[in-house]
Amino acid sequence: MAELQEVQITEEKPLLPGQTPEAAKTHSVETPYGSVTFTVYGTPKPKRPAILTYHDVGLNYKSCFQPLFQFGDMQEIIQNFVRVHVDAPGMEEGAPVFPLGYQYPSLDQLADMIPCVLQYLNFSTVIGVGVGAGAYILSRYALTGLTSSIPEMILGHLFSQEELSGNSELIQKYRNIITHAPNLDNIELYWNSYNNRRDLNFERGGDITLKCPVMLVVGDQAPHEDAVVECNSKLDPTQTSFLKMADSGGQPQLTQPGKLTEAFKYFLQGMGYMASSCMTRLSRSRTASLTSAASIDGNRSRSRTLSQSSESGTLSSGPPGHTMEVSC
């Protein structure tokens, strides 16, 4: 048998001397089990989760994780992710002593505090880094947190991270609708079915493809923009119209109903319907010129082109079998 030898491993890159500390913002949020304090480093990165840490017993986030996140090689990682360091209740620096008889939250209850932190920050996904008790808490959250954070997960599906961070009236409205939905259990079942969906396996030129006219619409800030673009690449270009909307997120029917209505009219006209419909301007403040020419089919189809300033882009439509790929 080969003899085992003890090998001492030394770090090649120690902590950087004189390293400038990152700007940190400390927050506290009330939860059903008391207040929890957490510190945020960096700014949210589009389409990237946050790194969330939870420390072990006898430590706080600084004493547990500061050496790791100040290490030289770690800098490349932390420059690409926002970090959220959660302190267990009463473990943050300067925390007062709890009063006599205070009932400390169980580890399960500490895990149930995490969705409150994520909701406060408008974060839908995280990469968890836990040590000891903190690892247990994050594991418990991963097992049970799916139900408690269903509203935030669905909001992250419906809207982009930029939209959620902006916390507009629209976001507040739909967060309230979903969070307080009386049928939230039913919504969770629908959500689970969606997550267990099968791939459609579209293939351009293959046996599995849509043979009917299709209009794909996606906002330029939508969380699933790449998936829609990929879907467009797999469909028959002679039957597909693709519309990417500027200044629109995951729900263009809510944020850009005027543009979507205009595009839908063009799509219907391309199919030979509503040939005499008047086309409304996408914005009264924008100049537009409208030209139309009847096709050889006369009453069956009509091709129209709406030319706008570079600010609003260009919309175009044609008879069935004509691809429309525009940004507006």
Side-chain angles (χ1 to χ4, degrees):
M1 294 181 62
E3 181 181 356
L4 297 177
Q5 297 182 353
E6 184 176 330
V7 178
Q8 183 177 3
I9 299 177
T10 58
E11 296 177 335
E12 295 182 359
K13 295 184 179 181
L15 293 174
L16 300 178
Q19 183 178 3
T20 303
E22 296 177 278
K25 293 183 179 180
T26 300
H27 310 265
S28 292
V29 63
E30 290 296 327
T31 79
Y33 308 105
S35 177
V36 61
T37 299
F38 51 94
T39 304
V40 180
Y41 289 84
T43 56
K45 305 297 188 296
K47 301 181 181 180
R48 290 196 179 186
I51 294 177
L52 184 143
T53 71
Y54 215 114
H55 59 85
D56 203 354
V57 176
L59 306 174
N60 57 28
Y61 92 85
K62 285 187 177 180
S63 56
C64 189
F65 292 108
Q66 200 169 60
L68 172 65
F69 285 98
Q70 286 185 349
F71 187 66
D73 286 346
M74 180 61 75
Q75 304 313 301
E76 182 179 3
I77 295 177
I78 66 176
Q79 289 173 3
N80 289 282
F81 294 90
V82 61
R83 303 200 318 277
V84 182
H85 297 288
V86 180
D87 277 318
M91 303 300 118
E92 67 274 14
E93 289 185 348
V97 177
F98 290 120
L100 186 65
Y102 172 78
Q103 183 64 45
Y104 200 81
S106 67
L107 293 189
D108 288 3
Q109 291 172 334
L110 293 178
D112 287 339
M113 291 180 171
I114 295 177
C116 299
V117 173
L118 300 184
Q119 182 174 354
Y120 178 89
L121 296 171
N122 293 321
F123 291 166
S124 58
T125 57
V126 296
I127 298 172
V129 180
V131 176
Y136 179 95
I137 291 168
L138 293 181
S139 298
R140 175 59 64 183
Y141 165 70
L143 290 173
T144 64
L146 295 180
T147 298
S148 57
S149 62
I150 279 289
E152 291 305 313
M153 295 174 67
I154 293 176
L155 286 168
H157 164 77
L158 296 174
F159 301 100
S160 67
Q161 189 64 54
E162 293 89 341
E163 290 177 292
L164 293 174
S165 299
N167 200 29
S168 64
E169 290 186 7
L170 178 70
I171 298 299
Q172 295 177 38
K173 173 184 176 181
Y174 279 86
R175 175 176 283 115
N176 183 66
I177 289 175
I178 296 172
T179 301
H180 299 98
N183 62 335
L184 186 57
D185 290 342
N186 296 348
I187 294 175
E188 181 182 354
L189 295 175
Y190 190 11
W191 173 249
N192 291 338
S193 292
Y194 170 76
N195 286 323
N196 291 322
R197 68 194 182 280
R198 292 179 299 161
D199 196 298
L200 291 172
N201 294 316
F202 288 146
E203 183 179 353
R204 178 172 290 184
D207 294 332
I208 303 178
T209 189
L210 297 176
K211 296 178 171 59
C212 59
V214 177
M215 182 174 74
L216 293 176
V217 181
V218 66
D220 64 349
Q221 300 173 17
H224 304 297
E225 177 189 355
D226 293 341
V228 178
V229 172
E230 181 182 2
C231 180
N232 179 60
S233 70
K234 295 181 178 180
L235 295 178
D236 183 352
T238 66
Q239 293 285 344
T240 306
S241 300
F242 177 58
L243 175 64
K244 183 184 289 187
M245 282 193 176
D247 303 323
S248 182
Q251 303 295 309
Q253 79 279 8
L254 302 178
T255 58
Q256 299 285 358
K259 288 183 178 180
L260 186 55
T261 299
E262 190 87 352
F264 190 40
K265 285 183 179 180
Y266 276 115
F267 179 68
L268 292 174
Q269 283 194 331
M271 296 173 65
Y273 305 110
M274 299 180 63
S276 61
S277 174
C278 295
M279 309 308 293
T280 58
R281 294 183 179 181
L282 298 183
S283 174
R284 293 183 178 180
S285 63
R286 297 171 178 173
T287 59
S289 62
L290 182 66
T291 62
S292 63
S295 68
I296 58 175
D297 292 331
N299 296 330
R300 180 58 184 166
S301 67
R302 176 177 297 178
S303 175
R304 291 177 181 245
T305 301
L306 176 65
S307 301
Q308 296 178 288
S309 64
S310 58
E311 176 189 2
S312 58
T314 302
L315 276 172
S316 63
S317 75
H322 178 72
T323 300
M324 177 175 71
E325 295 193 17
V326 300
S327 296
C328 67

